[in-house]
Amino acid sequence: MQLGHVLSNGTTTRPAKSLVSLAVALSLSCVGNVQAGSDDLDDIERITTTGSRFAESDDAMPVVISRVGEDDIRLVSPAHIEEVLKFVAGAGVQRGNGQEYLPALRSQVFTGAGACGGLLTAEDGIPLRAAGFCNINELFEAHSEMAQRIEVLKGPGSALYGSNAVHGVINVITPDTTRDIGMLGFDYGSYGYKRAKLRQGKDFGNSGIGINASVTHDSGYRDGEGVQQEKVNLRHRYDAEGLTLTTGFTYTNLDQDTAGYVSGFESYKDADLAQGNENPDAFRKNRAVRLWTNAKWDLGEDKLLSVTPYFRNQSMDFRMHFLPGTPLEKNDQQGFGLQSLYQQPLNDNWRVDMGVDYEYTEGGLQQFQDGPTQGSAFLVATVPEGQHYDYQVDATLWAPFASLVWEQDAWTVTLGARYEYMNYDYTNNMIAGRTRDDGTECGFGGCRYSRPPSGNDHYSNLSPKFGVSYQYSDNTRFYANVSKGYRAPQATELYRLQRNQQTADLDSETATNVEVGVKGFYENLSYVVSAYNMNKDNFIFRDSDFFNVNDGESRHRGIEVELRYQFSPAWDLTVAATHARHTYEHSQVLSDINIKGNDIDTAPRTLANARVGWNVTANSRIELEWQHVDEYYTDPENLHEYEGHDLMHLRASVSVTDNLTVYGRVLNLTDEAYAERADYSSFGGDRYFPGLPRHLMVSAEYQW
């Protein structure tokens, strides 16, 4: 078997793989696709860019890259990315309010201290935020509503990704609008939801230019909530002999009035309480800009080079309505980086991949409270009005990586490693310590917020990767991988301290992952089955003294199934399901209970999504979706829990003409009272983000 790749423009640069491999690729392309008969090359051959910075088939890779295709995205027309990520086994995203969410991928839902940075999010391969400056909600900066596809790499199995890619990578791929395409669309839904969509491209032969844009207005179901959001992607392409040069620009703007939790046991079942808003002053304003240029060279003799410089600029104002005193946070980051990858065959069986990634970022954060705290005497005394934090961090990252790929007959073996060096240069612009901003002391032993003195921190990590896949038969491929992932402490964990903690002596979180699985097809059934066991050390949490510490340990183990079964030319079934357990493995006593061995809070053991599709005619389709979320504990002590839920959604599409398609959707078909997210706080008890009752959306898309 010889090594082979495809450039992003579809040009084959090496001999094609065997017909056996192509058959597997064709069969696996069914997993994650809704509609049959797509003429998009990516839909037919399951080409991905997340496993490699060159577009290539992922069938021989010893990892799992799940994929949500454009047909899925168009049929769902997601108001929130959670609506399509649930099509990926192991992904358990929980919506907050508006565009907010908490993510999970082969993990518990990430919450609290240390939650941010558990997985890497990107658009067109460029991380949405700089390493060390993540935001738990950052996927709202990707144009997922109008994506070409969404690729999800599970686990830390690739040397291309470093810090934050512990549990995997979510990569939103925007469409190539440099060809002759055009689309105008409108969505209209319940509770004042409206969205306009535009896609227009022009191909000039060896160059092209295009735009992909959407504008969303959502009045919201709950009192005082609402979303106004604009997103735009611009793209330019230039082709020369041996060179493809692509430039992309993304701008997103979010202006959101936020409704917080509703309080009280099962309060989400009371329609009046569920529609209320206990935090009418909460808001989030976020702006993000990304500019990148990717140059791909075919250097001859099957040598390929990719270089991508990029620039990011982001800022956010955020009312922290969940904290005493409801302070205002302002954060921003500006920086640039470079991604590179060089591939060269050593002979017919061996290939070497190598590169260096670099990033430089200037990030700042301020937290200010404009009035006195309301509540107990303790809160009033320890949470002062005025400035809480004001600091800047200049971060530098270097990451060389390399891997060897060997292919012989039915075997593919990869061996690689990534070394990453991260340096933080921190400047505190206020008085150090836990005083008020004027230097005076707080009562009850001191102020809640503590500011460490200016300083420097650096982290070095090495992550080895080993994987093997074996083509057992024409329709079955086994794979296995062993890999190590890591996550450097984030700037907010190091410099946004509390109580009398003056420095955060944190190490990088590390994870060792072992995974086995099988990919294949049988007649009209295609499937991927995976089993994994991950052990994490040094995960960060806030202890009973409100210190950021990282002597935590956890274990994550589970089995996942993604399959598609074609009953007949008209009927199909798509399933994404996981059964997993995520547990604390360190001793920590909370409320007189040692949590070691307990389920991590917000970790449902079973998640399942099933969709039955009926192609009524060649131009119309109906799809019924069932979503199951198992019960889960809402506190580390495992004393409180949410009962879980089952939802049904109905969708349909009709191509009225060759150019015009109309869509209709009934969401939460059975009008189930449920919680998008359930939580328990020792201060406020049970609390929930209520889900929407039954609601509708209709859409129309005109293409030319």
Side-chain angles (χ1 to χ4, degrees):
M1 184 182 298
Q2 292 182 305
L3 302 169
H5 290 272
V6 179
L7 289 176
S8 58
N9 62 4
T11 303
T12 302
T13 63
R14 299 185 186 170
K17 294 190 175 184
S18 68
L19 292 176
V20 169
S21 297
L22 180 58
V24 173
L26 288 170
S27 68
L28 293 178
S29 71
C30 295
V31 178
N33 293 337
V34 171
Q35 294 177 326
S38 172
D39 58 0
D40 189 299
L41 180 63
D42 286 351
D43 287 335
I44 296 172
E45 293 193 52
R46 193 174 173 83
I47 301 299
T48 71
T49 55
T50 300
S52 170
R53 288 170 184 166
F54 297 105
E56 63 180 16
S57 172
D58 68 355
D59 68 291
M61 294 181 182
V63 295
V64 174
I65 302 177
S66 298
R67 181 176 177 278
V68 181
E70 185 179 20
D71 289 334
D72 291 337
I73 296 169
R74 292 177 63 199
L75 186 64
V76 175
S77 192
H80 192 286
I81 194 171
E82 175 271 339
E83 296 178 52
V84 289
L85 283 181
K86 62 188 175 183
F87 299 163
V88 175
V93 176
Q94 289 189 345
R95 295 174 68 167
N97 185 250
Q99 289 299 299
E100 296 177 354
Y101 68 94
L102 294 175
L105 182 63
R106 289 188 173 180
S107 67
Q108 78 284 5
V109 173
F110 295 118
T111 65
C116 188
L119 57 91
L120 183 68
T121 63
E123 183 181 78
D124 296 316
I126 307 299
L128 296 174
R129 298 289 183 99
F133 298 91
C134 69
N135 183 277
I136 198 70
N137 300 280
E138 62 197 26
L139 271 169
F140 59 49
E141 294 178 358
H143 205 170
S144 55
E145 300 91 335
M146 293 184 66
Q148 179 73 28
R149 61 186 183 274
I150 300 172
E151 298 175 353
V152 181
L153 169 65
K154 300 177 185 179
S158 172
L160 293 176
Y161 304 100
S163 188
N164 295 15
V166 177
H167 288 269
V169 179
I170 299 175
N171 189 13
V172 176
I173 309 298
T174 61
D176 180 5
T177 54
T178 65
R179 311 296 174 175
D180 288 327
I181 59 172
M183 185 273 288
L184 182 65
F186 295 95
D187 300 328
Y188 183 82
S190 303
Y191 309 113
Y193 187 89
K194 297 183 285 290
R195 179 167 56 201
K197 300 176 287 189
L198 171 67
R199 185 176 294 162
Q200 175 70 67
K202 180 63 177 176
D203 189 346
F204 300 104
N206 66 345
S207 66
I209 192 169
I211 184 173
N212 187 54
S214 64
V215 177
T216 303
H217 174 81
D218 185 4
S219 300
Y221 164 67
R222 299 175 61 192
D223 297 340
E225 72 158 308
V227 169
Q228 182 70 36
Q229 190 169 38
E230 301 86 34
K231 298 183 177 182
V232 61
N233 309 114
L234 303 177
R235 183 168 292 197
H236 179 268
R237 169 186 50 84
Y238 173 74
D239 295 320
E241 185 175 356
L243 170 65
T244 298
L245 192 66
T246 305
T247 299
F249 172 84
T250 294
Y251 169 80
T252 68
N253 181 67
L254 173 66
D255 187 353
Q256 174 177 299
D257 293 322
T258 308
Y261 288 104
V262 295
S263 303
F265 180 66
E266 296 190 342
S267 53
Y268 63 90
K269 294 183 177 181
D270 184 308
D272 291 333
L273 293 177
Q275 204 162 358
N277 183 1
E278 300 175 16
N279 307 103
D281 297 328
F283 68 88
R284 183 187 296 267
K285 299 180 185 293
N286 187 86
R287 181 189 62 86
V289 172
R290 289 181 300 280
L291 175 66
W292 53 270
T293 295
N294 173 244
K296 285 188 174 76
W297 285 275
D298 182 351
L299 302 176
E301 298 180 343
D302 297 331
K303 300 174 185 177
L304 303 175
L305 175 64
S306 173
V307 178
T308 308
Y310 58 87
F311 167 79
R312 272 188 304 246
N313 185 292
Q314 175 274 330
S315 63
M316 183 173 73
D317 295 350
F318 173 50
R319 177 67 67 186
M320 305 178 74
H321 55 88
F322 46 84
L323 291 181
T326 62
L328 176 67
E329 175 188 323
K330 292 177 175 284
N331 67 66
D332 63 87
Q333 57 178 274
Q334 308 83 37
F336 58 89
L338 179 74
Q339 294 178 337
S340 64
L341 178 63
Y342 175 70
Q343 294 186 350
Q344 177 178 335
L346 303 178
N347 55 41
D348 287 343
N349 303 109
W350 288 91
R351 186 185 83 222
V352 62
D353 299 352
M354 64 181 71
V356 176
D357 293 345
Y358 170 80
E359 258 190 7
Y360 175 77
T361 306
E362 297 178 350
L365 183 142
Q366 298 182 41
Q367 181 176 311
F368 180 82
Q369 183 173 318
D370 55 7
T373 301
Q374 305 298 313
S376 67
F378 175 79
L379 287 177
V380 171
T382 59
V383 183
E385 60 182 306
Q387 198 79 27
H388 297 160
Y389 300 101
D390 183 358
Y391 64 76
Q392 178 160 334
V393 179
D394 297 339
T396 305
L397 178 146
W398 287 96
F401 61 90
S403 64
L404 286 171
V405 181
W406 174 76
E407 291 189 357
Q408 178 70 49
D409 298 326
W411 292 91
T412 300
V413 179
T414 64
L415 177 64
R418 181 184 180 96
Y419 172 80
E420 191 165 284
Y421 174 81
M422 168 73 81
N423 183 77
Y424 294 119
D425 184 2
Y426 160 72
T427 302
N428 176 30
N429 298 320
M430 296 181 63
I431 300 171
R434 56 183 304 196
T435 67
R436 297 185 178 91
D437 55 8
D438 61 3
T440 58
E441 300 287 337
C442 291
F444 290 89
C447 300
R448 173 172 180 155
Y449 302 112
S450 178
R451 299 170 292 274
S454 299
N456 188 277
D457 294 279
H458 62 271
Y459 300 89
S460 298
N461 293 282
L462 178 67
S463 58
K465 323 279 184 180
F466 174 77
V468 58
S469 70
Y470 175 67
Q471 185 77 51
Y472 176 75
S473 68
D474 288 354
N475 57 5
T476 305
R477 180 184 292 274
F478 294 98
Y479 79 94
N481 71 68
V482 180
S483 57
K484 182 178 180 180
Y486 55 88
R487 170 192 181 276
Q490 304 295 296
T492 54
E493 296 160 357
L494 291 167
Y495 311 122
R496 201 178 195 176
L497 304 181
Q498 296 197 14
R499 304 300 198 269
N500 62 347
Q501 188 173 22
Q502 290 300 301
T503 59
D505 186 17
L506 302 178
D507 295 324
S508 294
E509 177 183 290
T510 60
T512 302
N513 183 67
V514 179
E515 179 178 347
V516 296
V518 58
K519 311 175 184 180
F521 67 95
Y522 178 75
E523 294 183 349
N524 296 322
L525 172 69
S526 58
Y527 61 89
V528 178
V529 180
S530 309
Y532 64 90
N533 183 86
M534 177 187 288
N535 293 293
K536 291 171 64 174
D537 295 316
N538 299 328
F539 86 74
I540 296 171
F541 64 96
R542 187 162 290 163
D543 67 11
S544 57
D545 294 320
F546 286 83
F547 282 20
N548 286 344
V549 298
N550 71 333
D551 54 357
E553 299 177 11
S554 64
R555 186 182 182 192
H556 310 265
R557 55 202 185 276
I559 185 168
E560 299 168 347
V561 177
E562 293 184 352
L563 63 85
R564 186 177 192 273
Y565 181 59
Q566 192 78 39
F567 293 100
S568 69
W571 288 88
D572 55 79
L573 170 69
T574 306
V575 174
T578 181
H579 182 75
R581 193 165 182 215
H582 312 283
T583 55
Y584 297 103
E585 297 298 317
H586 65 284
S587 293
Q588 184 184 7
V589 177
L590 298 173
S591 304
D592 297 323
I593 296 174
N594 190 338
I595 65 172
K596 184 175 182 178
N598 280 7
D599 283 13
I600 302 176
D601 49 293
T602 326
R605 296 189 182 183
T606 302
L607 296 170
N609 182 275
R611 289 169 286 153
V612 176
W614 177 30
N615 294 317
V616 184
T617 68
N619 299 317
S620 60
R621 179 175 174 85
I622 297 175
E623 183 176 275
L624 180 65
E625 176 192 347
W626 167 63
Q627 176 70 20
H628 171 74
V629 175
D630 210 1
E631 67 269 12
Y632 56 85
Y633 294 109
T634 56
D635 61 339
E637 299 93 327
N638 290 181
L639 297 176
H640 303 83
E641 65 179 321
Y642 170 65
E643 64 184 0
H645 59 258
D646 293 273
L647 301 178
M648 304 292 290
H649 308 299
L650 182 65
R651 303 182 180 95
S653 66
V654 177
S655 295
V656 180
T657 68
D658 290 342
N659 303 100
L660 177 64
T661 303
V662 177
Y663 300 86
R665 308 166 188 92
V666 183
L667 306 176
N668 192 0
L669 183 64
T670 60
D671 204 21
E672 178 80 5
Y674 74 102
E676 293 278 6
R677 166 165 171 72
D679 187 36
Y680 179 83
S681 165
S682 58
F683 296 102
D686 295 288
R687 54 185 188 172
Y688 309 90
F689 280 112
L692 289 176
R694 181 169 48 237
H695 56 291
L696 311 176
M697 178 187 286
V698 294
S699 305
E701 288 186 1
Y702 185 81
Q703 300 190 51
W704 61 90

